[in-house]
Amino acid sequence: MWAGGFLVVAVAIVFLVTLFPNTSGYHRDVFSKTPVQRVQVDKQVPMTPTRRAAVNDLFDRFVPAAIERKDPGAAYDLVTAQGRSGETRKDWEEGQLPVYAYDAKGSTFHGYVVEGSYAKEMDLELDLQPRNPKHGPVAYAVTLKEIGGRWLIDSIYPRTSYGPTEPVKGGGKLPAGQQPDASIPQAKTGVAWLLIAGLVVLILGAPAVFFFTQWRSGRKHRSRFTDEERAT
């Protein structure tokens, strides 16, 4: 029993040591004669009126053509080669384009936030309002690149979608397409903490069981010895 108890404690200690990372701060130094790699960070440039006018014109053409699917073929020339995702012009004309479809409200789309403005690249968040108030607004993450003196869309994808802009009748039930996604797993207790809790119980329980067994065995022995004395 003593050997078993010590073995359980040793296994638990080894498990805890391997589970938690080493925070001693020790790091092995590795030296090399290769040239030093220098990281160059692009400097941001002001969002000039000329740039803003170019972005406004690009969104006013791209949103109706591609996002609203009014003329996907015309939007093919408004994106970079990477933004086309390998699709051909014919694919875009047939509606097979890597752009999330959305029925946006309005004819001008200048509601965007500049997150980064560089010499040849811009990062923006384009906020679109729904034409149907029962649907919710959508925020697109957009990256633009300047190629050949023209600003083109290099990537665009929905970052955030919101609830409907008007109250939904029927006890607050969400409309179809806005129900919670059952495929998204809910938060559960961490498996690591369950294992730790089990090891703690095992570490504390093994000695307790051992001492209880010894105490019970000694009690039986004393009881039997007393019975023999009475019999004699």
Side-chain angles (χ1 to χ4, degrees):
M1 290 297 295
W2 276 106
F6 283 122
L7 179 61
V8 170
V9 173
V11 172
I13 293 175
V14 172
F15 179 79
L16 292 175
V17 170
T18 56
L19 179 64
F20 291 97
N22 183 13
T23 57
S24 63
Y26 173 77
H27 179 72
R28 182 180 178 183
D29 294 330
V30 179
F31 299 95
S32 174
K33 295 183 179 180
T34 57
V36 177
Q37 299 293 329
R38 296 183 178 181
V39 178
Q40 295 182 354
V41 180
D42 293 338
K43 295 182 179 180
Q44 295 206 36
V45 299
M47 187 66 175
T48 62
T50 303
R51 280 194 169 206
R52 189 171 294 275
V55 174
N56 293 343
D57 179 69
L58 177 60
F59 284 156
D60 290 346
R61 298 167 59 192
F62 184 82
V63 172
I67 295 180
E68 297 185 276
R69 297 296 196 271
K70 293 181 178 180
D71 192 359
Y76 185 83
D77 295 325
L78 302 178
V79 299
T80 63
Q82 179 177 345
R84 296 165 185 166
S85 299
E87 305 292 342
T88 64
R89 182 183 295 273
K90 183 178 180 180
D91 295 332
W92 280 59
E93 292 175 350
E94 294 175 352
Q96 301 178 11
L97 60 160
V99 180
Y100 179 77
Y102 182 78
D103 190 13
K105 176 182 178 181
S107 57
T108 59
F109 309 96
H110 305 166
Y112 54 86
V113 178
V114 180
E115 298 179 341
S117 176
Y118 307 95
K120 297 293 184 180
E121 184 174 328
M122 283 188 283
D123 296 320
L124 311 171
E125 180 183 284
L126 174 64
D127 299 319
L128 299 179
Q129 297 296 326
R131 190 181 304 275
N132 187 344
K134 293 184 178 180
H135 300 162
V138 173
Y140 284 81
V142 188
T143 299
L144 307 181
K145 287 189 176 181
E146 185 183 16
I147 300 177
R150 299 175 57 213
W151 284 101
L152 303 175
I153 293 179
D154 191 58
S155 68
I156 180 170
Y157 61 90
R159 173 182 292 173
T160 309
S161 59
Y162 303 91
T165 56
E166 71 174 18
V168 180
K169 298 180 181 180
K173 184 178 179 181
L174 294 177
Q178 296 186 16
Q179 298 294 335
D181 191 353
S183 63
I184 301 177
Q186 302 298 321
K188 298 181 179 180
T189 305
V191 178
W193 290 111
L194 293 177
L195 293 175
I196 294 174
L199 287 174
V200 171
V201 173
L202 185 61
I203 293 173
L204 298 178
V209 172
F210 171 74
F211 287 115
F212 177 77
T213 304
Q214 293 296 320
W215 172 80
R216 187 175 181 181
S217 177
R219 184 177 179 182
K220 289 183 178 180
H221 178 74
R222 290 193 299 270
S223 177
R224 185 177 61 183
F225 182 75
T226 303
D227 293 341
E228 290 177 357
E229 283 185 344
R230 292 177 179 176
T232 57

